[in-house]
């Protein structure tokens, strides 16, 4: 099939503002959007810039705005989109070139919630054990691949770059509800701040955008309740 692929291009060395460029690409219905981008880069315009790594929905590096929705280019099939496809960089982060954005603000928020196990108790003779039920309590948060699809679909993040964003809160949830962790006070300082969970307006964009089908909004609400119950 013939696909019309529109890409929002931006090169700071040449452009004052982003510009649309259209490519005609021969494709199979089972091709992915990532395949189309490779065909353009390898056969039509080698200056096209985008990120990819594993190409199988695990690394999270190729999140893009595809036909108006945040998706992973490596998991989005042509047959699900039709013959007219528009690709833009994810919103709310500075564009470096074409479909590549500066991820540093996203990862700064990730680091702020201390996404690692904190436990200063004397170590046991063997590992710190958990029951299957305790492990299940934070299972959803472990599925996050840090693609930023949820955070960059959030209208609060678009207008307030200081907001931690859904992905960082999901990462905090993963450790707050881990029975082995003792770092909730440190995380609550970041989560309860003016740029923390209380900025969330429960728009559900984040849940719809997640390629791993994590119930992001639900996890954010659980973090809010944890902070409230801790205070009162």
């Amino acid at each position: 099939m013939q696909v019309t692929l529109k890409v929002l291009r931006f090169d700071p060395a040449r452009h004052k503002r982003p510009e649309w460029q259209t490519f005609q690409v021969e494709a199979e219905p089972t091709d992915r959007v990532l395949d189309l981008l490779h065909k353009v880069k390898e056969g039509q315009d080698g200056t096209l810039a985008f990120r990819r790594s594993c190409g199988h929905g695990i690394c999270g590096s190729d999140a893009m705005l595809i036909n108006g929705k945040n998706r992973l280019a490596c998991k989005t099939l042509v047959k699900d989109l039709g013959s007219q496809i528009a690709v833009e960089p994810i919103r709310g982060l500075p564009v470096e070139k074409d479909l590549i954005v500066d991820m540093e603000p996203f990862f700064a928020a990730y680091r702020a919630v201390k996404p690692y196990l904190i436990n200063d108790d004397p170590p046991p003779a063997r590992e710190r054990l958990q029951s299957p039920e305790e492990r299940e309590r934070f299972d959803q948060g472990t599925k996050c691949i840090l693609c930023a699809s949820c955070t960059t679909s959030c209208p609060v993040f678009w207008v307030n770059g200081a907001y931690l964003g859904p992905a960082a809160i999901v990462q905090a949830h993963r450790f707050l509800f881990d029975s082995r962790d003792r770092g909730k006070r440190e995380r609550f300082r970041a989560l309860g701040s003016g740029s923390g969970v209380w900025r969330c307006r429960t728009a559900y964009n984040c849940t719809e955008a997640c390629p791993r089908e994590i119930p992001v909004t639900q996890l954010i609400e659980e973090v809010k309740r944890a902070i409230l119950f801790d205070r009162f």
Side-chain angles (χ1 to χ4, degrees), residues 71-200:
R71 315 174 199 241
L72 298 183
C74 63
K75 291 187 67 177
T76 306
L77 301 181
V78 171
K79 66 179 182 180
D80 295 328
L81 299 174
S83 61
Q84 302 287 326
I85 300 175
V87 183
E88 308 168 55
I90 48 179
R91 294 172 177 161
L93 293 169
V95 178
E96 295 189 334
K97 185 181 179 185
D98 296 339
L99 303 173
I100 297 176
V101 298
D102 180 5
M103 295 288 286
E104 178 52 31
F106 173 80
F107 283 112
Y110 171 64
R111 292 190 294 268
V113 300
K114 301 184 183 298
Y116 44 80
L117 191 74
I118 298 173
N119 191 326
D120 295 328
D121 294 345
R126 299 179 65 184
E127 66 267 24
R128 292 183 169 94
L129 299 177
Q130 278 187 317
S131 68
E133 292 74 21
E134 288 172 328
R135 174 60 179 77
E136 178 67 22
R137 181 64 186 87
F138 61 87
D139 182 69
Q140 293 284 3
T142 67
K143 300 174 183 177
C144 176
I145 57 175
L146 297 173
C147 66
S149 289
C150 63
T151 295
T152 58
S153 72
C154 174
V156 176
F157 183 76
W158 296 341
V159 298
N160 181 2
Y163 174 43
L164 288 176
I169 299 170
V170 165
Q171 291 296 321
H173 181 285
R174 179 256 174 273
F175 291 99
L176 286 173
F177 292 93
D178 189 328
S179 61
R180 302 164 298 180
D181 189 79
R182 301 292 180 269
K184 72 174 183 178
R185 294 273 177 250
E186 297 173 56
R187 295 192 186 91
F188 280 176
R189 280 196 288 273
L191 293 165
S193 70
S195 58
V197 293
W198 308 113
R199 289 289 177 187
C200 172

Side-chain angles (χ1 to χ4, degrees), residues 5 7-11 14-15 19-25 36-50 97-99:
L5 179 67
V7 182
L8 191 62
R9 307 288 304 272
F10 176 70
D11 183 346
R14 298 190 300 119
H15 300 143
E19 300 176 356
W20 287 101
Q21 186 173 358
T22 301
F23 303 93
Q24 298 298 322
V25 185
L36 303 190
L37 294 172
H38 274 295
K39 289 180 180 181
V40 169
K41 187 173 181 66
E42 294 163 9
Q44 298 188 42
D45 189 339
T47 67
L48 179 63
F50 56 91
K97 185 181 179 185
D98 296 339
L99 303 173

